[in-house]
Amino acid sequence: MAASRAPGEREENETEKGLRVSDKGYLNTAVMRSTITFIDGDAGAYLLLYGALPSADQLTQFQNEVMHHGTVHADAEHFCRSFRYDAHPMAILTSAFAYLGSYYSEANPSLQGQNIYTRGDKASLALMDKQIYRLLGKATTLAAMAYRVRQGRDFVTPPTNLSYTGSFLYQMDHLGEENYVPNPVLEKALDTLFLLHADHELNASSTTVLQTGSSLVDPYSAIAAGCASLYGPLHGGANEAVIRMLISIGKPDNVPAFLEDVKQRRKVLSGFGHRVYKTSDPRSFIVRKTADEVFKITGKDELLETAMALHAAAMKDEYFIKRKLAPNVDFCGLIYRAMGFPLDFFPVLFAVPRVVGWLAHWRQMMLQEGGVKIWRPRQIYVGEGKRDYVPLSQRTPVEGLKVTPSKVIHSGITKRTNLASFKGKVAAKL
Ligand SMILES: CC(C)(COP(=O)(O)OP(=O)(O)OC[C@H]1O[C@@H](n2cnc3c(N)ncnc32)[C@H](O)[C@@H]1OP(=O)(O)O)[C@@H](O)C(=O)NCCC(=O)NCCS
């Protein structure tokens, strides 16, 4: 092996199986055998949860279980109110999932034994399903609480006589009016968008759930990890980023200059491009149809014209054609805006339906043949070899932006404090 080592390659990167495979960003690595979802990246396709559609009885039972698991402990109110007044709702939701797990010690492998979810027997499956019902039932409750805390509203008890999205809308919007029923067009639109967002194979957040779940941690912690991953602007945060981008472009006339900035890599075109799809994301067509239905009752969003001009210009631009970049699902932000949701709530509207996808992958992993193997990838080490220790007094400083700690501005200290004098004060620097 050593004789065929390329210049710069290190012996330590070799194993008894040969040189380690480097696959940055998992471009070509399959880490699971899955029956959940298949994405045909060149043509487009999608599937869903327990493996087959339920019978009428199974459906009723499943719906009842989910809708009757909506209520959270009253203490969750204190938890939600403990966040700063302008906390991003995704920060609240991510923390809320981990917080939720602290109520269920019977569901925690750290306390009850590491095989509680992997045995595959009746009791183990029932325990797993109960956590699934709880997480699905409470996802809308926690998300609605994250919404209401920002609006300065009291919380409401989740209703059980509405659909999943109807209940979610009710929990966000009901202010005590009698017989409050959410608008059916908006309820249906949200339902369609929830279906579109329910699962999408091993995207970054589902992979994070599995990565975290592979240590056999409880499902609440694994879902919290997935939620954190989804928050990023390259993933679920893109629907928020799309609208911020459209606001920054302002009007159709500014589209050519913006696209030039994108091509010069000064700006990112959010809502375009996908790791798997190399054609228009098929979900984007349903998003457009849903948008038409919503706009009929809410009125068109003022950013729509800019979005359409951007779409038209990008789709005939050589840069985007050559790289097979087309709209993905994240232009649904226009619908959320028309429905009156605040921008920073958009990723929450992605996270809530994705909980079911995360759980499907987690469940499949717990039950996979041969048991769960911890996901522990290796790296290609390219750093320094062995170095001699140099005593502090004999060291010369290492200079360079990336190899020295940055000096930072201490934002907590005001100009007034800097100008004040007090015991132990070093020289004021303004
Ligand atoms: C989704 C995304 C992260 C996929 O990334 P990826 O699979 O690693 O693709 P790459 O970054 O390798 O992109 C391939 C090429 O297209 C370019 N590209 C990809 N997405 C682009 C975008 N939105 N705007 C401009 N250029 C883009 C890359 O710069 C790269 O060009 P190069 O080959 O000249 O270097 C990426 O397309 C992106 O950042 N999109 C915007 C964010 C977004 O909408 N995310 C939600 C996805 S559902």
Side-chain angles (χ1 to χ4, degrees):
M1 267 191 289
S4 60
R5 203 178 301 136
E9 293 296 352
R10 303 179 67 104
E11 188 183 352
E12 295 90 328
N13 291 329
E14 291 176 7
T15 68
E16 61 283 6
K17 296 189 184 99
L19 193 63
R20 224 160 258 143
V21 172
S22 171
D23 184 13
K24 207 173 152 195
Y26 293 139
L27 274 161
N28 200 32
T29 298
V31 286
M32 285 291 293
R33 292 173 68 81
S34 176
T35 57
I36 298 173
T37 302
F38 172 73
I39 302 176
D40 184 338
D42 292 318
Y46 67 91
L47 281 179
L48 263 197
L49 193 78
Y50 278 89
L53 288 173
S55 67
D57 285 351
Q58 287 171 325
L59 179 63
T60 308
Q61 190 215 332
F62 183 74
Q63 278 173 338
N64 281 340
E65 290 290 11
V66 170
M67 298 314 287
H68 283 88
H69 275 92
T71 311
V72 293
H73 194 286
D75 285 353
E77 170 158 3
H78 306 303
F79 168 79
C80 281
R81 299 229 182 268
S82 69
F83 284 83
R84 222 179 97 129
Y85 69 97
D86 62 350
H88 196 292
M90 277 300 275
I92 304 180
L93 187 67
T94 302
S95 319
F97 282 126
Y99 165 83
L100 190 62
S102 69
Y103 284 88
Y104 308 117
S105 58
E106 84 280 6
N108 189 341
S110 299
L111 304 172
Q112 307 299 341
Q114 61 185 45
N115 67 351
I116 56 172
Y117 295 119
T118 55
R119 292 197 312 267
D121 58 38
K122 204 171 166 198
S124 171
L125 290 169
L127 183 76
M128 185 144 59
D129 283 342
K130 185 158 187 182
Q131 310 325 309
I132 292 175
Y133 303 146
R134 279 175 170 158
L135 274 155
L136 295 180
K138 295 179 204 319
T140 49
T141 314
L142 297 170
M145 288 172 86
Y147 179 84
R148 288 181 85 101
V149 86
R150 293 281 306 278
Q151 310 289 322
R153 295 179 178 177
D154 273 343
F155 302 126
V156 296
T157 307
T160 52
N161 60 338
L162 295 173
S163 71
Y164 194 69
T165 50
S167 157
F168 186 33
L169 285 167
Y170 178 100
Q171 291 181 67
M172 285 185 282
D173 301 333
H174 182 225
L175 288 174
E177 304 89 341
E178 247 179 82
N179 300 331
Y180 186 92
V181 182
N183 181 287
V185 176
L186 303 187
E187 180 182 354
K188 171 81 178 34
L190 210 51
D191 189 53
T192 305
L193 293 172
F194 271 25
L195 264 176
L196 290 185
H197 284 90
D199 190 49
H200 211 221
E201 207 223 47
L202 279 192
N203 49 79
S205 57
S206 301
T207 309
T208 306
V209 167
L210 293 183
Q211 174 76 57
T212 311
S214 80
S215 73
L216 295 181
V217 74
D218 68 274
Y220 299 90
S221 304
I223 296 299
C227 200
S229 167
L230 185 99
Y231 186 5
L234 292 188
H235 187 13
N239 60 11
E240 178 181 349
V242 164
I243 303 299
R244 294 194 190 282
M245 170 191 79
L246 291 173
I247 292 171
S248 78
I249 297 172
K251 52 182 180 181
D253 289 355
N254 298 336
V255 162
F258 174 79
L259 283 183
E260 201 42 49
D261 277 346
V262 171
K263 292 193 275 185
Q264 297 305 321
R265 295 169 198 271
R266 289 190 289 263
K267 291 194 174 148
V268 175
L269 176 51
S270 293
F272 259 67
H274 197 273
R275 172 62 62 80
V276 185
Y277 289 129
K278 297 303 167 202
T279 174
S280 277
D281 180 336
R283 297 171 300 173
S284 68
F285 300 111
I286 304 173
V287 165
R288 228 175 290 169
K289 195 164 159 280
T290 309
D292 288 340
E293 282 152 22
V294 170
F295 292 162
K296 264 186 224 154
I297 62 163
T298 59
K300 275 196 180 131
D301 191 286
E302 61 193 16
L303 292 173
L304 186 66
E305 276 185 24
T306 308
M308 283 166 65
L310 184 63
H311 175 256
M315 294 304 276
K316 55 177 193 253
D317 190 303
E318 194 48 35
Y319 174 96
F320 299 95
I321 296 170
K322 204 173 105 199
R323 289 170 179 78
K324 299 185 174 173
L325 299 170
N328 55 48
V329 75
D330 292 302
F331 270 88
C332 61
L334 282 171
I335 307 179
Y336 298 145
R337 210 170 104 103
M339 286 171 83
F341 289 112
L343 287 191
D344 58 8
F345 201 67
F346 295 4
V348 172
L349 295 167
F350 188 161
V352 170
R354 185 52 62 89
V355 172
V356 69
W358 292 332
L359 287 169
H361 287 283
W362 171 76
R363 187 177 190 273
Q364 176 173 264
M365 175 186 240
M366 291 302 115
L367 299 177
Q368 74 188 346
E369 222 174 289
V372 178
K373 264 221 147 328
I374 193 161
W375 284 18
R376 195 342 182 155
R378 298 300 308 270
Q379 61 178 7
I380 305 287
Y381 180 67
V382 295
E384 298 278 355
K386 191 168 172 253
R387 284 181 284 180
D388 289 332
Y389 178 79
V390 182
L392 187 58
S393 58
Q394 294 166 28
R395 285 178 218 161
T396 47
V398 180
E399 301 287 358
L401 254 186
K402 289 189 178 170
V403 292
T404 49
S406 311
K407 288 198 173 77
V408 297
I409 296 164
H410 290 213
S411 51
I413 298 178
T414 63
K415 203 178 251 191
R416 298 185 304 285
T417 303
N418 269 324
L419 290 168
S421 54
F422 45 87
K423 189 175 170 191
K425 183 176 184 183
V426 195
K429 278 184 195 158
L430 281 180

